[in-house]
Each structure stands twice: as C-alpha cells, then as structure tokens.
Amino acid sequence: MREPALFDDGWALRSGEEAHAAAPETFWIPDFIARRSLRIGDFAKLIFEISVNNEEDPVSVERMWVVVSEISSDRYFGLLDNEPNAIAENDAFWVGTEIPFGPEHVINIEPGDDASVALAAQEPLKKWSRN
C-alpha cells in the first residue's frame, strides 16, 4: 500500500516521531505502546500537509483528528473527523475521507466511545486504495 503523497493526492502526513525528535522538550507525543495500541473508535491526531492554491505558501499544515476504523498489521485506517481550514469542501479530501497512517504519525490520542465506534463503521467519503 502506498502512503499519501502531497503532489499526487493533494495532501500528505508528517511524522510525529520526527517532529518530536526535532524538539523533544516542546513537542510531546504519546509513547510508542499507546500509539501502537489504538482500537477501533479511538481518535488519533495527525499532522497533515495540504496543497493549497497560493504561490507564496503552497502548503498548509493542519493538525486534525481521525477516528480509527480499521487496523491492519502495523497500519491503521481512519476517517477524517475535522474540516480542513485551508481548503473548500470537496469530494477528494474532507470529513469522512479514509486516511492510512501508522504509529509514527500519531501526535495525540483520545479514547473512543460507542458513538465513535459507530462513526468508524460508516462508509468513507473516499476509500484509500489497498494496492
């Protein structure tokens, strides 16, 4: 499975582990066991790079929540649970888009509940290719 790419998909994920390594005193992330132990319905906050139509600053960076909808070996799939601020509503990347990610991308965690488990079971706005 391929990772999202900014120029191919219009968005990509930044590594939370790399951000933490660059500034360990000021950029906290949950420990690896917590990031590796997410369950269906849990919320994970990720750092997104989003391509925008601005010549001076063509990439917007946003921290947004996804609700974990599937666990596959060392990868997760989640549904975007925030509206991106940098772009207008669209069918390719908006609330409900399926997001592939790994523990290295997670910068915060909130435990799920019955409502978030039900949300995770919904059909995605756009599915991510498993190929």
Side-chain angles (χ1 to χ4, degrees):
M1 177 194 74
R2 75 173 183 82
E3 296 288 324
L6 186 62
F7 297 109
D8 294 334
D9 302 303
W11 63 276
L13 295 173
R14 284 192 181 171
S15 170
E17 289 178 353
E18 289 177 10
H20 173 69
E25 298 299 320
T26 58
F27 195 94
W28 173 89
I29 60 174
D31 67 45
F32 180 75
I33 293 172
R35 291 182 285 119
R36 185 65 188 104
S37 303
L38 297 176
R39 299 180 347 175
I40 303 295
D42 285 348
F43 292 92
K45 187 176 269 190
L46 313 176
I47 305 171
F48 290 83
E49 296 177 340
I50 304 169
S51 180
V52 294
N53 190 15
N54 181 332
E55 288 183 22
E56 293 178 19
D57 195 9
V59 178
S60 177
V61 177
E62 297 190 34
R63 298 175 187 194
M64 296 188 287
W65 292 99
V66 299
V67 59
V68 177
S69 58
E70 183 181 329
I71 302 166
S72 176
S73 154
D74 65 341
R75 306 314 283 164
Y76 297 108
F77 291 90
L79 301 179
L80 185 61
D81 196 46
N82 284 118
E83 294 178 352
N85 290 321
I87 56 175
E89 186 172 350
N90 63 82
D91 293 333
F93 183 72
W94 200 252
V95 173
T97 299
E98 188 171 58
I99 308 295
F101 66 100
E104 70 275 12
H105 298 114
V106 176
I107 63 169
N108 203 353
I109 298 168
E110 289 291 330
D113 57 18
D114 291 342
S116 64
V117 170
L119 177 62
Q122 293 182 358
E123 189 66 26
L125 171 70
K126 180 178 180 184
K127 282 194 75 69
W128 189 258
S129 175
R130 302 303 197 266
N131 297 331

